[in-house]
Amino acid sequence: MTRRSFVIGVGMTRFEKPGSRPGWDYPDIGREAAVNALADAGIPYRDVDHAFLAYCYGDSTSGQRALYEVGLTGIPMVNVNNNCSTGSSALYLANQFVRAGLAECVLALGFEKMERGSLREYWSDRAAPTGRHIEAMAARRGLTGAPAAAQIFGNAGREYMERYGVSRETIARIAEKNHRHSVNNPYSQFRDEYSLADILASPAVHDPLTRLQCCPTSDGGAAAVVASESFVERHDLGPRAVEIAGQALTTDTESTFDGGDAGLVGYHMTRDAARAVYDRSGIGPEDVQVIELHDCFSTNELITYEALGLCEAGGAGRLIDEGVVDYGGRWVVNPSGGLISKGHPLGATGLAQCAELCWQLRGEAAARQVAGASTALQHNIGLGGAAVVTMYRAPA
């Protein structure tokens, strides 16, 4: 019998420009995030009986090196790497272990110490993990001198513009919204508000994307403690325990390479994961109030509205133009500021999304609180590829 699972504690560091905190190495980042999550849960580290450790840039047992700063208890630890969905993949594994009865209390910890500038491949003597995706994009749209990630996500936005007549101004409004939201997030790497004109006038990266529509690389960490219902009851944690009502992890299918640009950036993975979560949880997008989704580029937030079932085909532009996905609208999407403003330390991103949604559902999000938030949806993707979608329910 599958058990219920709950997030009983979350924590994160502030996301920072790479190298901006001298001496702040990944063990320090991991320790800070883990200690914050344990303190939030109100439990000692010795109560954790398994850990999944998420990072993309680091050597083989960097996860252990980071968590050893918290304690040496001999628990099983497994390092996780799933590109930009690494953090939520660790959360997925923690949730699976708890629901299957393999563990009572599991820590998912994500951290990253990154280089400044665009992501790049580090190994020139072997096939690139996203090589098939880039080759398919090049065959369809060609290659430019822009960063590969900006090209592939920008082209997905171009496809949507060509098909449905969405304007550059509409796509830029997504970045305007998320930068404005980040002003109220003390954990955000950037907390500056920009006008629509500012965003459109910032340096071009790959049409329709400008610099202020692209997420930065970041140093930072985040963590979540996942526990069983019996653990929650034994420790009297019910008033703060956020239920994971449904979760799915999907990878690419043949539809990824069906000739469309959206498929190459995870549209079909997201759609399939969302449908599975709605079916498993019995909760649909119409029941949700707050969403954290993977806006690595403003164009990806646009196409993800449709992939998550927030609108019909071609309706994504209307959601942003009419304020449906902002405070006062049907949903508040990325109240944290999203990846565009909050930052994107790859291993921590999915767990930072989890933290934000748990704070929202517990009514602890301060100036960015979404009124009446009782159900929340999370979306995190990594090219090459994996998509994780999670549904959360507020404490009873």
Side-chain angles (χ1 to χ4, degrees):
M1 179 178 178
T2 302
R3 305 190 305 173
R4 296 171 72 190
S5 56
F6 299 82
V7 179
I8 60 171
V10 291
M12 59 182 291
T13 71
R14 177 172 175 168
F15 289 177
E16 306 274 8
K17 181 185 293 186
S20 62
R21 283 178 60 176
W24 201 45
D25 204 351
Y26 76 88
D28 309 301
I29 296 170
R31 178 184 65 244
E32 184 177 336
V35 167
N36 287 346
L38 292 166
D40 187 56
I43 65 169
Y45 178 54
R46 65 176 177 272
D47 284 354
V48 173
D49 50 32
H50 208 293
F52 292 99
L53 310 167
Y55 60 95
C56 291
Y57 297 104
D59 290 325
S60 57
T61 54
S62 294
Q64 280 93 322
R65 177 66 181 85
L67 196 50
Y68 283 177
E69 295 293 309
V70 180
L72 293 160
T73 59
I75 62 171
M77 299 181 185
V78 177
N79 294 286
V80 181
N81 183 343
N82 239 357
N83 206 348
C84 300
S85 63
T86 292
S88 57
S89 296
L91 179 67
Y92 174 84
L93 290 168
N95 185 40
Q96 291 296 302
F97 263 58
V98 169
R99 289 175 64 82
L102 300 174
E104 289 294 308
C105 182
V106 183
L107 175 67
L109 169 64
F111 56 86
E112 214 71 73
K113 183 175 174 63
M114 302 184 72
E115 295 178 344
R116 296 189 184 190
S118 302
L119 301 181
R120 63 182 179 87
E121 301 289 347
Y122 281 84
W123 307 101
S124 59
D125 62 342
R126 65 202 70 183
T130 58
R132 185 174 176 185
H133 296 69
I134 299 300
E135 289 169 7
M137 177 195 72
R140 179 172 171 80
R141 298 274 183 177
L143 287 172
T144 72
Q151 290 186 61
I152 196 167
F153 283 99
N155 288 339
R158 286 188 193 182
E159 179 182 61
Y160 206 88
M161 294 167 69
E162 294 161 359
R163 184 173 296 170
Y164 300 115
V166 172
S167 69
R168 287 171 178 78
E169 288 77 12
T170 290
I171 295 173
R173 283 191 183 95
I174 292 170
E176 184 279 325
K177 168 181 69 70
N178 292 349
H179 282 295
R180 172 165 37 84
H181 290 177
S182 73
V183 171
N184 292 319
N185 186 359
Y187 295 99
S188 183
Q189 182 170 339
F190 299 122
R191 300 185 68 187
D192 297 317
E193 187 170 350
Y194 297 96
S195 69
L196 181 62
D198 291 334
I199 290 164
L200 289 168
S202 66
V205 178
H206 182 80
D207 188 45
L209 296 170
T210 62
R211 183 179 296 168
L212 288 173
Q213 297 178 67
C214 306
C215 70
T217 54
S218 314
D219 291 348
V225 184
V226 182
S228 67
E229 186 172 17
S230 60
F231 186 97
V232 169
E233 291 174 349
R234 288 197 309 273
H235 293 79
D236 194 26
L237 299 174
R240 292 173 55 78
V242 173
E243 183 174 8
I244 300 178
Q247 190 177 55
L249 188 158
T250 56
T251 57
D252 291 304
T253 64
E254 290 298 328
S255 65
T256 296
F257 303 97
D258 66 0
D261 295 297
L264 296 175
V265 295
Y267 177 93
H268 301 112
M269 292 193 299
T270 294
R271 180 197 61 195
D272 295 346
R275 289 175 177 175
V277 166
Y278 301 153
D279 180 63
R280 294 169 189 174
S281 67
I283 302 170
E286 67 279 1
D287 303 311
V288 169
Q289 295 81 40
V290 57
I291 301 169
E292 283 281 310
L293 63 77
H294 194 95
D295 64 318
C296 49
F297 299 90
S298 57
T299 49
N300 198 53
E301 178 164 331
L302 181 80
I303 67 172
T304 301
Y305 295 159
E306 187 175 308
L308 291 175
L310 306 188
C311 63
E312 71 287 351
R318 178 186 63 82
L319 296 189
I320 186 66
D321 284 341
E322 298 179 6
V324 180
V325 288
D326 205 348
Y327 289 91
R330 178 67 188 80
W331 301 280
V332 180
V333 176
N334 288 330
S336 69
L339 282 62
I340 284 175
S341 276
K342 182 175 59 182
H344 186 24
L346 275 60
T349 287
L351 289 159
Q353 290 178 321
C354 172
E356 175 66 24
L357 293 176
C358 286
W359 289 326
Q360 290 284 347
L361 294 176
R362 296 191 321 212
E364 299 173 351
R368 63 188 187 281
Q369 181 65 50
V370 176
S374 63
T375 312
L377 184 66
Q378 177 190 352
H379 161 261
N380 187 206
I381 62 165
L383 296 192
V388 184
V389 174
T390 309
M391 186 73 75
Y392 300 93
R393 185 183 289 120

PDB file of all heavy atoms in Angstrom, residues 75-99:
ATOM      1  N   ILE A  75      24.251   7.354   7.431  1.00  0.00           N
ATOM      2  CA  ILE A  75      23.046   7.053   6.650  1.00  0.00           C
ATOM      3  C   ILE A  75      23.381   6.877   5.172  1.00  0.00           C
ATOM      4  O   ILE A  75      24.399   7.385   4.687  1.00  0.00           O
ATOM      5  CB  ILE A  75      21.986   8.164   6.808  1.00  0.00           C
ATOM      6  CG1 ILE A  75      22.517   9.505   6.270  1.00  0.00           C
ATOM      7  CG2 ILE A  75      21.544   8.285   8.246  1.00  0.00           C
ATOM      8  CD1 ILE A  75      21.469  10.593   6.184  1.00  0.00           C
ATOM      9  N   PRO A  76      22.540   6.166   4.409  1.00  0.00           N
ATOM     10  CA  PRO A  76      22.748   6.067   2.966  1.00  0.00           C
ATOM     11  C   PRO A  76      22.618   7.442   2.313  1.00  0.00           C
ATOM     12  O   PRO A  76      21.709   8.209   2.647  1.00  0.00           O
ATOM     13  CB  PRO A  76      21.626   5.133   2.498  1.00  0.00           C
ATOM     14  CG  PRO A  76      21.173   4.410   3.717  1.00  0.00           C
ATOM     15  CD  PRO A  76      21.378   5.360   4.856  1.00  0.00           C
ATOM     16  N   MET A  77      23.535   7.729   1.406  1.00  0.00           N
ATOM     17  CA  MET A  77      23.490   8.976   0.635  1.00  0.00           C
ATOM     18  C   MET A  77      23.705   8.644  -0.832  1.00  0.00           C
ATOM     19  O   MET A  77      24.588   7.848  -1.165  1.00  0.00           O
ATOM     20  CB  MET A  77      24.586   9.946   1.093  1.00  0.00           C
ATOM     21  CG  MET A  77      24.486  10.380   2.541  1.00  0.00           C
ATOM     22  SD  MET A  77      25.806  11.552   2.951  1.00  0.00           S
ATOM     23  CE  MET A  77      25.539  11.753   4.719  1.00  0.00           C
ATOM     24  N   VAL A  78      22.911   9.258  -1.691  1.00  0.00           N
ATOM     25  CA  VAL A  78      23.027   9.042  -3.132  1.00  0.00           C
ATOM     26  C   VAL A  78      23.088  10.396  -3.825  1.00  0.00           C
ATOM     27  O   VAL A  78      22.259  11.273  -3.565  1.00  0.00           O
ATOM     28  CB  VAL A  78      21.833   8.230  -3.672  1.00  0.00           C
ATOM     29  CG1 VAL A  78      21.941   8.070  -5.187  1.00  0.00           C
ATOM     30  CG2 VAL A  78      21.755   6.858  -3.001  1.00  0.00           C
ATOM     31  N   ASN A  79      24.082  10.556  -4.694  1.00  0.00           N
ATOM     32  CA  ASN A  79      24.230  11.793  -5.445  1.00  0.00           C
ATOM     33  C   ASN A  79      23.382  11.747  -6.715  1.00  0.00           C
ATOM     34  O   ASN A  79      23.280  10.703  -7.372  1.00  0.00           O
ATOM     35  CB  ASN A  79      25.702  12.014  -5.799  1.00  0.00           C
ATOM     36  CG  ASN A  79      26.541  12.263  -4.567  1.00  0.00           C
ATOM     37  OD1 ASN A  79      26.488  13.321  -3.968  1.00  0.00           O
ATOM     38  ND2 ASN A  79      27.312  11.258  -4.161  1.00  0.00           N
ATOM     39  N   VAL A  80      22.777  12.874  -7.056  1.00  0.00           N
ATOM     40  CA  VAL A  80      21.805  12.964  -8.143  1.00  0.00           C
ATOM     41  C   VAL A  80      22.222  14.053  -9.116  1.00  0.00           C
ATOM     42  O   VAL A  80      22.608  15.141  -8.701  1.00  0.00           O
ATOM     43  CB  VAL A  80      20.393  13.285  -7.592  1.00  0.00           C
ATOM     44  CG1 VAL A  80      19.373  13.361  -8.727  1.00  0.00           C
ATOM     45  CG2 VAL A  80      19.968  12.259  -6.548  1.00  0.00           C
ATOM     46  N   ASN A  81      22.125  13.764 -10.426  1.00  0.00           N
ATOM     47  CA  ASN A  81      22.377  14.767 -11.463  1.00  0.00           C
ATOM     48  C   ASN A  81      21.379  14.537 -12.590  1.00  0.00           C
ATOM     49  O   ASN A  81      21.417  13.505 -13.248  1.00  0.00           O
ATOM     50  CB  ASN A  81      23.812  14.655 -11.978  1.00  0.00           C
ATOM     51  CG  ASN A  81      24.146  15.720 -13.018  1.00  0.00           C
ATOM     52  OD1 ASN A  81      23.272  16.355 -13.597  1.00  0.00           O
ATOM     53  ND2 ASN A  81      25.436  15.904 -13.278  1.00  0.00           N
ATOM     54  N   ASN A  82      20.480  15.492 -12.798  1.00  0.00           N
ATOM     55  CA  ASN A  82      19.494  15.414 -13.876  1.00  0.00           C
ATOM     56  C   ASN A  82      19.364  16.777 -14.556  1.00  0.00           C
ATOM     57  O   ASN A  82      18.272  17.264 -14.799  1.00  0.00           O
ATOM     58  CB  ASN A  82      18.128  14.960 -13.333  1.00  0.00           C
ATOM     59  CG  ASN A  82      17.640  13.679 -13.996  1.00  0.00           C
ATOM     60  OD1 ASN A  82      18.281  13.159 -14.902  1.00  0.00           O
ATOM     61  ND2 ASN A  82      16.498  13.183 -13.554  1.00  0.00           N
ATOM     62  N   ASN A  83      20.527  17.374 -14.846  1.00  0.00           N
ATOM     63  CA  ASN A  83      20.591  18.692 -15.467  1.00  0.00           C
ATOM     64  C   ASN A  83      19.786  19.700 -14.640  1.00  0.00           C
ATOM     65  O   ASN A  83      19.850  19.674 -13.420  1.00  0.00           O
ATOM     66  CB  ASN A  83      20.137  18.619 -16.930  1.00  0.00           C
ATOM     67  CG  ASN A  83      20.749  19.728 -17.781  1.00  0.00           C
ATOM     68  OD1 ASN A  83      21.327  20.675 -17.285  1.00  0.00           O
ATOM     69  ND2 ASN A  83      20.618  19.594 -19.090  1.00  0.00           N
ATOM     70  N   CYS A  84      19.028  20.563 -15.257  1.00  0.00           N
ATOM     71  CA  CYS A  84      18.371  21.642 -14.514  1.00  0.00           C
ATOM     72  C   CYS A  84      17.245  21.158 -13.606  1.00  0.00           C
ATOM     73  O   CYS A  84      16.755  21.922 -12.772  1.00  0.00           O
ATOM     74  CB  CYS A  84      17.840  22.691 -15.483  1.00  0.00           C
ATOM     75  SG  CYS A  84      19.140  23.455 -16.488  1.00  0.00           S
ATOM     76  N   SER A  85      16.816  19.911 -13.760  1.00  0.00           N
ATOM     77  CA  SER A  85      15.793  19.346 -12.870  1.00  0.00           C
ATOM     78  C   SER A  85      16.417  18.503 -11.764  1.00  0.00           C
ATOM     79  O   SER A  85      15.729  17.686 -11.137  1.00  0.00           O
ATOM     80  CB  SER A  85      14.798  18.501 -13.669  1.00  0.00           C
ATOM     81  OG  SER A  85      15.444  17.390 -14.263  1.00  0.00           O
ATOM     82  N   THR A  86      17.683  18.703 -11.493  1.00  0.00           N
ATOM     83  CA  THR A  86      18.393  17.896 -10.497  1.00  0.00           C
ATOM     84  C   THR A  86      17.769  18.006  -9.108  1.00  0.00           C
ATOM     85  O   THR A  86      17.557  16.991  -8.422  1.00  0.00           O
ATOM     86  CB  THR A  86      19.875  18.305 -10.464  1.00  0.00           C
ATOM     87  OG1 THR A  86      20.481  17.916 -11.705  1.00  0.00           O
ATOM     88  CG2 THR A  86      20.621  17.645  -9.325  1.00  0.00           C
ATOM     89  N   GLY A  87      17.468  19.210  -8.657  1.00  0.00           N
ATOM     90  CA  GLY A  87      16.909  19.387  -7.319  1.00  0.00           C
ATOM     91  C   GLY A  87      15.571  18.696  -7.159  1.00  0.00           C
ATOM     92  O   GLY A  87      15.322  18.005  -6.161  1.00  0.00           O
ATOM     93  N   SER A  88      14.690  18.855  -8.135  1.00  0.00           N
ATOM     94  CA  SER A  88      13.382  18.219  -8.021  1.00  0.00           C
ATOM     95  C   SER A  88      13.475  16.713  -8.242  1.00  0.00           C
ATOM     96  O   SER A  88      12.625  15.958  -7.763  1.00  0.00           O
ATOM     97  CB  SER A  88      12.377  18.841  -8.999  1.00  0.00           C
ATOM     98  OG  SER A  88      12.843  18.746 -10.319  1.00  0.00           O
ATOM     99  N   SER A  89      14.515  16.248  -8.927  1.00  0.00           N
ATOM    100  CA  SER A  89      14.724  14.805  -9.055  1.00  0.00           C
ATOM    101  C   SER A  89      15.118  14.200  -7.711  1.00  0.00           C
ATOM    102  O   SER A  89      14.690  13.090  -7.363  1.00  0.00           O
ATOM    103  CB  SER A  89      15.795  14.509 -10.107  1.00  0.00           C
ATOM    104  OG  SER A  89      15.370  14.925 -11.389  1.00  0.00           O
ATOM    105  N   ALA A  90      15.932  14.923  -6.932  1.00  0.00           N
ATOM    106  CA  ALA A  90      16.255  14.470  -5.576  1.00  0.00           C
ATOM    107  C   ALA A  90      14.999  14.457  -4.706  1.00  0.00           C
ATOM    108  O   ALA A  90      14.782  13.535  -3.913  1.00  0.00           O
ATOM    109  CB  ALA A  90      17.323  15.369  -4.960  1.00  0.00           C
ATOM    110  N   LEU A  91      14.165  15.470  -4.862  1.00  0.00           N
ATOM    111  CA  LEU A  91      12.893  15.498  -4.137  1.00  0.00           C
ATOM    112  C   LEU A  91      12.010  14.330  -4.544  1.00  0.00           C
ATOM    113  O   LEU A  91      11.365  13.696  -3.696  1.00  0.00           O
ATOM    114  CB  LEU A  91      12.180  16.821  -4.408  1.00  0.00           C
ATOM    115  CG  LEU A  91      10.811  17.006  -3.753  1.00  0.00           C
ATOM    116  CD1 LEU A  91      10.941  17.103  -2.236  1.00  0.00           C
ATOM    117  CD2 LEU A  91      10.127  18.261  -4.305  1.00  0.00           C
ATOM    118  N   TYR A  92      11.985  14.032  -5.817  1.00  0.00           N
ATOM    119  CA  TYR A  92      11.205  12.892  -6.324  1.00  0.00           C
ATOM    120  C   TYR A  92      11.675  11.586  -5.683  1.00  0.00           C
ATOM    121  O   TYR A  92      10.862  10.762  -5.237  1.00  0.00           O
ATOM    122  CB  TYR A  92      11.348  12.818  -7.841  1.00  0.00           C
ATOM    123  CG  TYR A  92      10.719  11.607  -8.480  1.00  0.00           C
ATOM    124  CD1 TYR A  92       9.364  11.574  -8.798  1.00  0.00           C
ATOM    125  CD2 TYR A  92      11.489  10.479  -8.780  1.00  0.00           C
ATOM    126  CE1 TYR A  92       8.794  10.459  -9.391  1.00  0.00           C
ATOM    127  CE2 TYR A  92      10.928   9.364  -9.368  1.00  0.00           C
ATOM    128  CZ  TYR A  92       9.579   9.362  -9.674  1.00  0.00           C
ATOM    129  OH  TYR A  92       9.012   8.240 -10.263  1.00  0.00           O
ATOM    130  N   LEU A  93      12.982  11.382  -5.615  1.00  0.00           N
ATOM    131  CA  LEU A  93      13.513  10.161  -5.007  1.00  0.00           C
ATOM    132  C   LEU A  93      13.189  10.094  -3.520  1.00  0.00           C
ATOM    133  O   LEU A  93      12.819   9.028  -2.997  1.00  0.00           O
ATOM    134  CB  LEU A  93      15.022  10.090  -5.235  1.00  0.00           C
ATOM    135  CG  LEU A  93      15.443   9.830  -6.684  1.00  0.00           C
ATOM    136  CD1 LEU A  93      16.934  10.079  -6.855  1.00  0.00           C
ATOM    137  CD2 LEU A  93      15.081   8.413  -7.112  1.00  0.00           C
ATOM    138  N   ALA A  94      13.317  11.221  -2.826  1.00  0.00           N
ATOM    139  CA  ALA A  94      12.963  11.244  -1.404  1.00  0.00           C
ATOM    140  C   ALA A  94      11.497  10.873  -1.219  1.00  0.00           C
ATOM    141  O   ALA A  94      11.141  10.080  -0.328  1.00  0.00           O
ATOM    142  CB  ALA A  94      13.236  12.634  -0.830  1.00  0.00           C
ATOM    143  N   ASN A  95      10.651  11.428  -2.047  1.00  0.00           N
ATOM    144  CA  ASN A  95       9.217  11.145  -1.968  1.00  0.00           C
ATOM    145  C   ASN A  95       8.926   9.682  -2.264  1.00  0.00           C
ATOM    146  O   ASN A  95       8.112   9.039  -1.584  1.00  0.00           O
ATOM    147  CB  ASN A  95       8.478  12.045  -2.960  1.00  0.00           C
ATOM    148  CG  ASN A  95       6.977  11.911  -2.857  1.00  0.00           C
ATOM    149  OD1 ASN A  95       6.417  11.815  -1.771  1.00  0.00           O
ATOM    150  ND2 ASN A  95       6.300  11.907  -3.995  1.00  0.00           N
ATOM    151  N   GLN A  96       9.593   9.120  -3.267  1.00  0.00           N
ATOM    152  CA  GLN A  96       9.377   7.719  -3.615  1.00  0.00           C
ATOM    153  C   GLN A  96       9.787   6.800  -2.462  1.00  0.00           C
ATOM    154  O   GLN A  96       9.090   5.818  -2.165  1.00  0.00           O
ATOM    155  CB  GLN A  96      10.165   7.361  -4.876  1.00  0.00           C
ATOM    156  CG  GLN A  96       9.652   8.016  -6.149  1.00  0.00           C
ATOM    157  CD  GLN A  96       8.257   7.552  -6.508  1.00  0.00           C
ATOM    158  OE1 GLN A  96       8.001   6.366  -6.697  1.00  0.00           O
ATOM    159  NE2 GLN A  96       7.332   8.489  -6.589  1.00  0.00           N
ATOM    160  N   PHE A  97      10.900   7.100  -1.822  1.00  0.00           N
ATOM    161  CA  PHE A  97      11.359   6.261  -0.713  1.00  0.00           C
ATOM    162  C   PHE A  97      10.363   6.285   0.448  1.00  0.00           C
ATOM    163  O   PHE A  97      10.069   5.259   1.059  1.00  0.00           O
ATOM    164  CB  PHE A  97      12.744   6.722  -0.246  1.00  0.00           C
ATOM    165  CG  PHE A  97      13.874   5.927  -0.821  1.00  0.00           C
ATOM    166  CD1 PHE A  97      14.041   5.825  -2.200  1.00  0.00           C
ATOM    167  CD2 PHE A  97      14.768   5.261  -0.007  1.00  0.00           C
ATOM    168  CE1 PHE A  97      15.074   5.081  -2.741  1.00  0.00           C
ATOM    169  CE2 PHE A  97      15.805   4.514  -0.536  1.00  0.00           C
ATOM    170  CZ  PHE A  97      15.968   4.425  -1.914  1.00  0.00           C
ATOM    171  N   VAL A  98       9.843   7.463   0.743  1.00  0.00           N
ATOM    172  CA  VAL A  98       8.885   7.574   1.844  1.00  0.00           C
ATOM    173  C   VAL A  98       7.578   6.874   1.490  1.00  0.00           C
ATOM    174  O   VAL A  98       7.027   6.102   2.285  1.00  0.00           O
ATOM    175  CB  VAL A  98       8.649   9.053   2.199  1.00  0.00           C
ATOM    176  CG1 VAL A  98       7.470   9.207   3.159  1.00  0.00           C
ATOM    177  CG2 VAL A  98       9.910   9.647   2.825  1.00  0.00           C
ATOM    178  N   ARG A  99       7.073   7.116   0.297  1.00  0.00           N
ATOM    179  CA  ARG A  99       5.786   6.533  -0.098  1.00  0.00           C
ATOM    180  C   ARG A  99       5.855   5.015  -0.215  1.00  0.00           C
ATOM    181  O   ARG A  99       4.864   4.309   0.017  1.00  0.00           O
ATOM    182  CB  ARG A  99       5.314   7.152  -1.406  1.00  0.00           C
ATOM    183  CG  ARG A  99       4.863   8.605  -1.252  1.00  0.00           C
ATOM    184  CD  ARG A  99       4.515   9.228  -2.577  1.00  0.00           C
ATOM    185  NE  ARG A  99       3.385   8.594  -3.219  1.00  0.00           N
ATOM    186  CZ  ARG A  99       2.100   8.850  -2.943  1.00  0.00           C
ATOM    187  NH1 ARG A  99       1.799   9.734  -2.007  1.00  0.00           N
ATOM    188  NH2 ARG A  99       1.132   8.239  -3.583  1.00  0.00           N
TER     189      ARG A  99
END
